[in-house]
Amino acid sequence: MAWIVLVVSGVLEAVWATALGRTEGFTRLVPSLVFAVALLASMAGLAYAMRSLPVGTSYAVWVGIGAVLTVVYAMATGAEPVTLWKVLFLVMIVGGVVGLKAVH
């Protein structure tokens, strides 16, 4: 169960990171609310997962999922260019996350 919560928390990290970019310095209400709710839920899920998973592994998986999904979303929406190098390095991050799960 901790792994499922951790993955969902990583997804929520991507949500709050994306919402943060759209708040325009917290001057826009809806993105600011999405940011706050997703941040709280993401942190709560991370804290829950850390009750039974090692802190280092939990944090690395959480950050990895959030970072990859944030960049993939930005590339899918055209906010960031897609390059072979970016895709390669994102695949490496995913491989690291999968590897951490495999050795746990």
Side-chain angles (χ1 to χ4, degrees), residues 9-59:
S9 296
V11 171
L12 288 170
E13 185 198 1
V15 170
W16 69 252
T18 301
L20 179 61
R22 294 182 177 187
T23 65
E24 296 180 15
F26 297 107
T27 60
R28 296 181 61 214
L29 180 61
V30 173
S32 297
L33 291 174
V34 171
F35 165 78
V37 170
L39 177 68
L40 289 173
S42 179
M43 289 291 174
L46 176 62
Y48 174 83
M50 285 182 173
R51 290 171 47 194
S52 58
L53 299 173
V55 171
T57 298
S58 299
Y59 185 69

